[in-house]
C-alpha cells in the first residue's frame, strides 16, 4: 500500500486513476493542476506522483521541477498521450511512462512495481 | 597647243558627239569598244584600228578591232611599248615600221599584215595605264600634230568611258553582293541609302514587318508602327535606324516593339549600322533585326512555371505543416477521450465481473461513456465536414427556414445540455424566414452558442440579437467570456487555429467549429465575423445571411 498523488487536468482520467488505484488498496489523492498539487504537497508527502504532462497553466515538467526544488524528490510516473512522453519521462528521471489511452491492468501493474521497488 | 585643221576638228567633234551618246546608253564594254572604233575611224580616217586592255595579269589583250587577221592578233598580243605601271604614258608613233628598230622582231608579222605605219595611243584613268588603242596604215605615214592631238583626246575619252563603265559595273556588283549577303543572312535585314530611303530588304524582314515597304520611297523602317517596350508610340523618324543615320554611329542594346498591319506585335532587337565609302562619306545603312518575341515568351513562360512550382511547393509545405499540426492536436484531443472511454469501460467491466458495482461509480462512468462518445462523434463530424469542405463535396439543400424558431430550439438544447448562462434573445424583426439549408444553418448557430457557453465559464449572460438588414438577416451572439486578443481574430477561422488563451483555459476543442461555420455561412452567400475588445472581455460573433439563400451553384 502506497500513498499516491495524481496530477491530471482531465476529470474523467483523474477519477479513473483515483478509483482504480484506490480499489487496489492505495491511498490516493488528486489535483486538477500543478499549482493545486504543489499546495497539497505542503501538508503531505506521498510515495509516488502520477503526473500528466500537457496541462493548462503549469505543465507536468514544470510541476516536477518545482517539487524537487522544494523538498526530497518523490518518484514520478508520467501519464501522457504526448508522442514525446517517453523522451520527457527520461529527462525527468521518471521511473515509468504510461501512455494514453492506457489499460487499467497496465496502470495497476506499473504503479505496483513503482511502489514496491 | 597646236591648231587643229578645221576639217579634222569638225569631224572629230562629230565623231566624239556620236561616241558620247553611244557610251551613255552602252550596256556592255563591247558596245563602248564598237563606238570607240567607229569614232576613231571617222575622226582620224583610218581603216584599221584596235583596242586592247590590260587584263588582270597586266597583259595587253585585244578587245575590239577592224581589219586585223587572227594570225596577226595572236602574234602581237601582249606587246606594249609601256611597262604596265607607267604613269602618264605617252603616245608612240611609228611612221615607218620598216625603219623602226624597236619593232625589228615583229617586222615579219607586220609585213605579212601589210602594216607599214602604226600608232600606240595609251588609254589611261587618272594617269594610270589601262590599255591602248592602235592605228594601222598600209603605207608609211607622217603623223601631224593635229592627228596626234585628236588621237590623244579620243584616248582620254575612251579611257574615261571604260573607267566609268567599270566603276558602275563594280557598283552594281557591290549592290548585287550586298543583296546576296542580306538575302543569305537568315535573319530580317534591310538596307537604306544615306537619306534613310529603303533600297533593299529580305523576305525575313517582310515577314517580320508583315508588309512589304515601297523600295525607293519608305523611310527608315518597314514596320507599320513602332513602340518602345513600355508601350509608348515610337515615331519612325526616332527609330534606331533613323538615329544611326542621323548620328552616323551603330545603335545597340535598344529594344523596340513592331506592330504589323494585322495588329500582331513583335519584340525586336535592331542592329542598325551606318555604311561609309572609302572617303568616309555616309552612303547608307544596314539594319539587322532579331525577333526576340519567342525568346521573351519562353522566358515569361519559364518564369510563370517557376512561380507556379514555388507556389505548389509552398502549398505542399503548408499541407505538411497542417498535417503535422492536425496530428499534434488530434493526438491530444483524441487520446484523452479515448483513454477516458477505455478506462471507464474497463472499470465498469471489472465491477460487473467482481459483482461489486459501486452505485456512484457506475453512474459516473456510464455518464462519462455517453458524454465522451458524444463528444467524439461531434469531433468526427467536424473532421469529416472539414474534409468535405476542402474537397468541395459538401452540398446545401436550401428550404424556407425560420431562423428565430431555430434560435429558440438551439438555446433550449444548450440549456438541456447543462449550460448555466442566462440567454437573452432579442428579435428585432418578425420576418425571420430565409432560404437556407436548415441542418447546416443549425450547425452554425449551435456552434456559435456552444462557443459562447464554452468560453463563458463564469456563467455570464449571453446576448443573442436577430435583426433584419437590407440583404437579409444578421445574427449577433455576444458573450462576456474569455474573449481573445484582437490580433488573433483571423486565426479563429483557420482550421485547428485555436487561440492561446482558449487552449490555456482548458476548454476542449480542436479549433474546427468556427472554420466550418464561416465556410458554411459563405456557401449560403453570407458572412461570419468575430471581434473582441481583448482577453477576458468577451467576444462578439456576427453572422449575416441573405434572404435569397445560397447563390445558385
Amino acid at each position: 500500500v502506497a500513498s499516491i498523488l495524481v496530477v491530471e487536468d482531465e476529470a474523467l482520467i483523474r477519477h479513473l486513476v483515483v478509483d482504480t488505484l484506490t480499489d487496489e488498496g492505495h491511498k490516493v489523492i488528486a489535483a486538477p493542476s500543478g499549482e493545486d498539487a504543489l499546495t497539497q504537497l505542503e501538508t503531505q508527502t506521498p510515495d509516488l506522483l502520477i503526473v500528466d504532462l500537457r496541462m493548462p497553466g503549469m505543465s507536468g515538467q514544470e510541476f516536477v521541477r518545482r517539487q524537487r526544488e522544494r523538498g526530497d524528490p518523490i518518484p514520478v510516473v508520467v501519464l501522457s498521450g504526448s508522442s514525446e512522453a517517453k523522451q520527457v519521462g527520461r529527462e525527468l528521471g521518471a521511473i515509468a511512462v504510461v501512455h494514453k489511452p492506457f489499460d487499467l491492468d497496465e496502470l495497476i501493474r506499473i504503479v505496483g512495481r513503482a511502489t514496491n521497488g | 597647243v597646236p591648231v587643229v585643221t578645221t576639217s579634222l576638228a569638225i569631224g572629230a567633234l562629230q565623231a566624239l558627239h556620236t561616241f558620247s551618246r553611244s557610251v551613255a546608253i552602252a550596256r556592255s564594254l563591247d558596245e563602248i569598244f564598237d563606238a570607240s572604233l567607229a569614232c576613231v575611224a571617222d575622226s582620224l580616217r583610218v581603216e584599221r584600228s584596235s583596242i586592247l586592255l590590260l587584263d588582270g595579269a597586266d597583259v595587253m589583250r585585244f578587245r575590239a578591232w577592224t581589219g586585223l587577221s587572227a594570225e596577226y592578233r595572236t602574234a602581237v598580243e601582249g606587246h606594249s611599248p609601256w611597262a604596265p605601271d607607267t604613269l602618264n604614258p605617252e603616245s608612240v608613233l611609228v611612221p615607218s615600221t620598216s625603219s623602226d628598230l624597236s619593232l625589228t622582231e615583229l617586222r615579219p608579222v607586220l609585213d605579212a599584215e601589210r602594216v607599214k605605219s602604226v600608232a600606240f595611243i595609251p588609254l589611261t584613268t587618272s594617269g594610270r595605264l589601262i590599255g591602248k588603242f592602235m592605228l594601222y596604215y598600209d603605207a608609211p605615214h607622217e603623223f601631224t600634230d593635229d592627228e596626234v592631238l585628236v588621237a590623244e583626246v579620243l584616248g582620254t575619252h575612251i579611257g574615261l568611258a571604260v573607267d566609268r563603265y567599270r566603276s558602275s559595273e563594280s557598283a552594281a556588283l557591290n549592290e548585287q553582293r550586298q543583296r546576296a549577303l542580306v538575302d543569305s543572312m537568315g535573319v530580317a535585314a534591310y538596307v537604306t541609302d544615306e537619306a534613310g530611303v529603303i533600297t533593299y530588304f529580305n523576305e525575313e524582314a517582310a515577314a517580320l514587318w508583315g508588309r512589304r515597304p515601297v523600295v525607293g520611297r519608305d523611310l527608315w523602317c518597314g514596320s507599320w508602327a513602332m513602340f518602345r517596350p513600355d508601350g509608348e508610340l515610337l515615331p519612325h523618324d526616332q527609330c534606331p535606324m533613323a538615329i544611326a543615320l542621323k548620328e552616323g554611329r551603330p545603335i545597340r542594346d535598344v529594344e523596340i516593339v513592331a506592330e504589323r498591319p494585322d495588329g500582331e506585335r513583335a519584340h525586336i532587337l535592331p542592329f542598325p549600322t551606318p555604311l561609309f565609302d572609302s572617303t568616309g562619306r555616309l552612303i547608307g545603312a544596314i539594319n539587322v533585326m532579331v525577333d526576340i518575341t519567342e525568346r521573351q515568351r519562353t522566358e515569361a513562360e519559364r518564369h510563370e512555371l517557376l512561380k507556379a512550382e514555388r507556389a505548389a511547393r509552398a502549398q505542399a509545405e503548408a499541407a505538411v505543416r497542417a498535417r503535422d499540426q492536425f496530428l499534434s492536436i488530434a493526438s491530444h484531443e483524441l487520446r484523452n477521450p479515448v483513454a477516458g472511454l477505455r478506462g471507464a469501460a474497463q472499470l465498469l467491466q471489472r465491477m460487473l465481473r467482481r459483482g461489486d458495482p459501486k452505485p456512484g461509480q457506475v453512474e459516473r462512468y456510464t455518464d462519462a461513456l455517453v458524454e465522451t462518445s458524444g463528444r467524439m462523434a461531434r469531433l468526427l463530424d467536424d473532421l469529416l465536414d472539414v474534409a468535405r469542405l476542402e474537397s468541395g463535396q459538401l452540398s446545401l439543400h436550401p428550404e424556407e427556414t425560420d431562423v428565430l424558431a431555430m434560435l429558440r430550439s438551439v438555446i433550449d438544447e444548450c440549456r438541456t445540455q447543462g449550460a448555466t448562462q442566462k440567454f437573452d434573445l432579442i428579435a428585432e424583426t418578425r420576418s425571420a424566414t430565409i432560404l437556407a439549408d436548415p441542418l447546416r444553418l443549425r450547425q452554425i448557430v449551435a456552434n456559435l452558442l456552444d462557443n459562447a457557453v464554452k468560453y463563458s465559464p463564469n456563467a455570464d449572460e449571453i446576448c443573442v440579437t436577430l435583426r433584419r438588414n437590407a440583404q437579409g438577416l444578421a445574427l449577433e451572439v455576444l458573450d462576456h467570456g474569455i474573449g481573445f486578443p484582437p490580433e488573433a481574430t483571423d486565426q479563429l477561422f483557420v482550421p485547428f487555429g485555436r487561440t492561446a488563451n482558449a487552449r490555456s483555459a482548458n476548454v476542449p476543442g480542436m479549433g474546427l467549429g468556427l472554420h466550418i461555420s464561416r465556410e458554411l455561412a459563405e456557401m449560403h452567400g453570407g458572412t461570419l465575423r468575430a471581434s473582441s475588445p481583448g482577453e477576458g472581455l468577451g467576444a462578439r460573433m456576427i453572422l449575416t445571411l441573405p434572404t435569397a439563400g445560397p447563390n445558385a451553384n
Side-chain angles (χ1 to χ4, degrees):
Chain A
V1 178
S3 60
I4 301 166
L5 171 61
V6 182
V7 190
E8 164 68 64
D9 61 312
E10 192 77 15
L12 177 57
I13 311 285
R14 196 167 63 239
H15 286 306
L16 270 172
V17 175
V18 172
D19 288 349
T20 303
L21 296 180
T22 305
D23 213 38
E24 288 300 306
H26 297 293
K27 181 176 171 286
V28 191
I29 52 173
S33 70
E35 292 88 340
D36 190 82
L38 285 175
T39 312
Q40 296 198 36
L41 288 178
E42 285 169 12
T43 54
Q44 46 201 315
T45 305
D47 304 319
L48 184 69
L49 301 173
I50 298 179
V51 184
D52 186 13
L53 294 179
R54 189 167 157 170
M55 292 183 288
M58 190 183 294
S59 71
Q61 296 95 300
E62 182 64 17
F63 159 72
V64 172
R65 255 195 298 280
R66 298 255 184 110
Q67 189 277 320
R68 286 175 187 169
E69 281 167 13
R70 292 177 181 205
D72 292 337
I74 302 169
V76 170
V77 168
V78 166
L79 177 68
S80 172
S82 164
S83 52
E84 285 148 27
K86 204 167 191 167
Q87 167 80 15
V88 176
R90 199 178 300 134
E91 283 164 15
L92 287 177
I95 48 177
V97 174
V98 178
H99 292 278
K100 292 178 187 173
F102 53 89
D103 187 87
L104 291 186
D105 290 333
E106 183 196 359
L107 175 73
I108 292 163
R109 203 167 50 244
I110 287 171
V111 170
R113 258 208 314 266
T115 50
N116 289 337
Chain B
V1 176
V3 179
V4 179
T5 34
T6 314
S7 65
L8 196 64
I10 290 172
L13 270 176
Q14 283 172 339
L16 267 176
H17 179 61
T18 310
F19 173 69
S20 51
R21 288 173 77 169
S22 302
V23 164
I25 58 165
R27 278 168 303 176
S28 69
L29 272 181
D30 285 340
E31 285 183 27
I32 291 173
F33 296 146
D34 288 346
S36 305
L37 291 182
C39 180
V40 167
D42 287 353
S43 55
L44 292 170
R45 295 171 193 137
V46 293
E47 281 167 17
R48 292 190 285 175
S49 60
S50 68
I51 292 178
L52 299 91
L53 293 184
L54 286 171
D55 68 7
D58 283 338
V59 179
M60 284 291 185
R61 299 285 182 194
F62 279 97
R63 299 302 299 265
W65 59 89
T66 51
L68 294 180
S69 70
E71 292 78 21
Y72 175 79
R73 282 185 279 118
T74 309
V76 302
E77 193 162 63
H79 177 265
S80 169
W82 314 281
D85 55 357
T86 311
L87 275 178
N88 301 314
E90 291 182 359
S91 302
V92 175
L93 308 170
V94 183
S96 171
T97 53
S98 49
S99 59
D100 193 289
L101 291 175
S102 68
L103 297 176
T104 308
E105 280 176 32
L106 289 174
R107 197 165 304 143
V109 184
L110 294 168
D111 286 346
E113 199 72 7
R114 290 176 293 104
V115 174
K116 296 298 178 191
S117 172
V118 68
F120 302 80
I121 313 296
L123 303 178
T124 59
T125 65
S126 312
R128 199 169 44 81
L129 183 69
I130 61 165
K132 62 182 179 177
F133 83 85
M134 304 287 296
L135 304 172
Y136 308 96
Y137 298 88
D138 296 349
H141 182 83
E142 284 300 326
F143 292 91
T144 64
D145 287 348
D146 294 353
E147 279 175 334
V148 174
L149 183 65
V150 168
E152 287 183 344
V153 166
L154 285 178
T156 305
H157 280 265
I158 294 167
L160 279 174
V162 169
D163 185 51
R164 208 186 67 171
Y165 183 84
R166 277 180 168 172
S167 51
S168 78
E169 200 178 31
S170 90
L173 195 66
N174 270 344
E175 199 172 316
Q176 205 181 330
R177 277 195 198 127
Q178 199 178 54
R179 288 178 181 198
L181 186 70
V182 167
D183 281 341
S184 63
M185 286 174 91
V187 301
Y190 65 100
V191 187
T192 71
D193 64 15
E194 72 280 8
V197 177
I198 294 174
T199 54
Y200 192 69
F201 60 88
N202 64 13
E203 289 306 311
E204 287 86 351
L208 189 56
W209 291 325
R211 65 187 285 270
R212 308 185 75 83
V214 180
V215 167
R217 193 198 73 189
D218 284 5
L219 282 168
W220 296 307
C221 177
S223 62
W224 188 251
M226 270 180 289
F227 301 88
R228 300 182 209 279
D230 63 10
E232 197 192 328
L233 188 79
L234 180 65
H236 265 65
D237 61 358
Q238 289 172 32
C239 77
M241 186 64 153
I243 292 169
L245 279 163
K246 261 176 230 166
E247 300 183 1
R249 62 180 179 93
I251 303 296
R252 298 290 182 265
D253 300 324
V254 175
E255 186 187 326
I256 63 153
V257 178
E259 190 175 88
R260 302 189 178 111
D262 63 10
E264 206 179 312
R265 290 185 173 194
H267 286 258
I268 294 173
L269 276 186
F271 293 86
T273 307
L275 302 170
F276 302 93
D277 70 8
S278 57
T279 66
R281 188 174 57 95
L282 180 71
I283 54 167
I286 183 167
N287 193 3
V288 175
M289 300 178 291
V290 180
D291 184 354
I292 57 167
T293 314
E294 196 54 37
R295 192 204 296 171
Q296 281 204 334
R297 191 175 303 148
T298 313
E299 268 170 25
E301 272 168 13
R302 200 188 308 143
H303 186 71
E304 281 302 311
L305 213 63
L306 211 67
K307 221 165 73 180
E309 201 179 67
R310 277 201 203 107
R313 191 181 306 157
Q315 206 174 5
E317 282 167 359
V320 168
R321 268 200 307 278
R323 192 199 60 197
D324 289 350
Q325 191 189 21
F326 166 76
L327 285 175
S328 154
I329 292 172
S331 69
H332 181 255
E333 287 300 320
L334 289 170
R335 277 198 169 120
N336 270 328
V338 170
L341 282 180
R342 194 180 183 193
Q346 282 185 346
L347 204 78
L348 287 168
Q349 191 184 44
R350 286 160 72 103
M351 286 192 283
L352 284 171
R353 279 187 184 157
R354 284 185 198 156
D356 176 26
K358 298 184 176 80
Q361 287 191 18
V362 169
E363 200 187 341
R364 173 191 289 157
Y365 292 112
T366 46
D367 283 356
L369 282 182
V370 172
E371 196 272 324
T372 308
S373 57
R375 207 170 100 199
M376 291 191 68
R378 284 194 299 279
L379 215 65
L380 196 62
D381 282 344
D382 281 357
L383 284 172
L384 289 175
D385 278 350
V386 170
R388 284 196 198 102
L389 284 167
E390 274 181 7
S391 61
Q393 283 173 337
L394 195 147
S395 54
L396 299 180
H397 305 284
E399 54 189 70
E400 293 289 320
T401 304
D402 184 346
V403 181
L404 188 56
M406 178 183 288
L407 262 177
R408 292 201 174 102
S409 157
V410 174
I411 290 171
D412 282 348
E413 199 177 80
C414 285
R415 290 194 181 114
T416 313
Q417 285 171 356
T420 51
Q421 292 88 342
K422 176 178 178 289
F423 287 93
D424 192 2
L425 177 59
I426 303 163
E428 294 180 356
T429 174
R430 258 186 259 170
S431 59
T433 301
I434 61 167
L435 199 60
D437 183 321
L439 290 177
R440 292 305 181 180
L441 183 55
R442 188 181 181 92
Q443 189 179 350
I444 302 174
V445 172
N447 180 258
L448 296 182
L449 293 179
D450 278 348
N451 277 351
V453 171
K454 269 200 313 195
Y455 296 113
S456 308
N458 297 323
D460 289 304
E461 178 185 73
I462 292 167
C463 186
V464 182
T465 310
L466 186 65
R467 57 175 74 96
R468 190 160 268 284
N469 60 23
Q471 288 75 41
L473 289 176
L475 171 68
E476 181 186 297
V477 178
L478 178 69
D479 67 50
H480 300 90
I482 66 170
F484 52 87
E487 64 272 14
T489 309
D490 289 338
Q491 199 189 329
L492 295 178
F493 296 99
V494 174
F496 309 113
R498 300 194 77 200
T499 59
N501 65 321
R503 277 201 301 274
S504 61
N506 200 24
V507 177
M510 282 224 263
L512 295 177
L514 283 177
H515 166 67
I516 294 167
S517 295
R518 175 178 266 185
E519 294 276 323
L520 289 175
E522 286 174 356
M523 280 180 77
H524 276 87
T527 60
L528 177 60
R529 290 190 307 274
S531 64
S532 169
E535 282 187 47
L537 298 172
R540 184 195 302 269
M541 301 285 161
I542 298 174
L543 171 72
T544 68
L545 293 164
T547 313
N551 297 331
N553 67 357

